[in-house]
Amino acid sequence: MEASNNDEKTNTNILERSEFGVQLKILRINDQIRELQTIIRDKQTSRGDFVFYADRLIRLVVEEGLNQLPYTNCVVTTPTGQPFDGIQFAKGNCGVSIMRSGEAMEHGLRDCCRSIRIGKILVKSNDDTGEAKVFYAKFPSDIHNRKVLLMYPILNSGNTVIQAVRVLREHGVKDSNIILLTLFCTPHGVRAVINKARDITILTSEVHTTTPNHFGTKYFGTD
């Protein structure tokens, strides 16, 4: 489900769907991204190919997620002795993966930020009621002072992410300091999360009425 031009605001790399406001950011679609989405959705894709192409899409989302983090100006000296006006990440960023599928995104984050600290949250949903409950959470002790890249590849109902955000709040994290990195999400899931956390940022490659919910089992080979 793609929005019309009247419903989108654009910049170089991302789109913003006006119905969700500036909280939702979508990677600008191109042939590469569409192919990756197609391979991940294809039931004929082998697990080896699935992991390879999923990792590529994860990397694209993570790279754009890093663009949402604050930078500071700096000056470095080149090998020829010339000063160069550059930028560097502001200190105080971390990742948090929602287990288990969110752990698939950790490698992509570490490929970009080798020393970044990563916390974990385990949320399980009741098969009958769909109610999500937190079973485990481990974060850096100073997470309340950090920007958080919350990693969860499939945003469907939004219940799991809402519970994860609740736990982060309990540890002093402001909604405005949470950036949800997800590969695929539904309009319903986006609305549910935004309604509960109006200052959160959601970054995804696609908003569609159906999502590849087999992602976690396929990626980890438990299907």
Side-chain angles (χ1 to χ4, degrees):
M1 182 182 67
E2 296 183 355
S4 66
N5 290 336
N6 292 332
D7 293 330
E8 296 175 346
K9 297 179 181 179
T10 64
N11 67 19
T12 304
N13 298 315
I14 58 176
L15 305 175
E16 295 177 358
R17 287 271 291 273
S18 59
E19 64 185 292
F20 300 112
V22 297
Q23 289 174 266
L24 175 67
K25 303 181 185 298
I26 308 171
L27 294 185
R28 177 178 288 280
I29 196 69
N30 55 37
D31 290 342
Q32 175 187 205
I33 291 175
R34 181 62 75 197
E35 183 191 32
L36 297 177
Q37 294 170 340
T38 301
I39 293 171
I40 291 170
R41 287 180 176 275
D42 187 354
K43 68 177 182 180
Q44 301 298 329
T45 300
S46 67
R47 178 175 177 264
D49 283 348
F50 184 94
V51 171
F52 177 80
Y53 290 105
D55 283 345
R56 285 185 58 194
L57 186 57
I58 288 168
R59 179 66 177 262
L60 292 174
V61 172
V62 167
E63 291 276 10
E64 187 54 45
L66 296 178
N67 281 333
Q68 310 303 314
L69 296 175
Y71 291 84
T72 57
N73 295 323
C74 68
V75 179
V76 298
T77 303
T78 71
T80 59
Q82 300 299 312
F84 176 80
D85 294 325
I87 60 174
Q88 62 185 359
F89 278 124
K91 295 185 181 298
N93 304 312
C94 72
V96 172
S97 62
I98 301 178
M99 302 163 65
R100 181 180 187 192
S101 61
E103 293 175 307
M105 304 179 73
E106 291 182 8
H107 183 70
L109 180 57
R110 289 203 184 279
D111 278 348
C112 300
C113 304
R114 287 183 295 175
S115 61
I116 194 167
R117 300 183 66 182
I118 297 179
K120 295 180 184 288
I121 302 176
L122 175 60
V123 181
K124 291 186 177 180
S125 297
N126 185 294
D127 292 335
D128 296 324
T129 65
E131 182 181 359
K133 182 178 180 181
V134 176
F135 284 83
Y136 172 84
K138 184 174 179 60
F139 307 129
S141 59
D142 60 347
I143 194 169
H144 58 283
N145 292 323
R146 295 175 179 264
K147 287 277 190 177
V148 176
L149 297 172
L150 183 62
M151 298 175 286
Y152 193 58
I154 307 297
L155 176 61
N156 194 354
S157 69
N159 292 338
T160 297
V161 170
I162 289 169
Q163 290 302 314
V165 170
R166 178 183 63 80
V167 175
L168 288 170
R169 285 173 177 163
E170 291 173 354
H171 285 76
V173 179
K174 298 178 180 178
D175 291 357
S176 58
N177 284 339
I178 302 173
I179 302 169
L180 173 64
L181 305 182
T182 183
L183 304 184
F184 302 91
C185 56
T186 65
H188 171 76
V190 173
R191 290 190 190 96
V193 172
I194 289 177
N195 285 340
K196 294 292 186 179
R198 296 192 176 277
D199 292 325
I200 196 173
T201 297
I202 301 174
L203 176 63
T204 186
S205 83
E206 182 183 62
V207 178
H208 197 281
T209 52
T210 59
T211 54
N213 295 328
H214 63 292
F215 184 94
T217 55
K218 187 87 169 189
Y219 190 95
F220 292 107
T222 56
D223 52 345

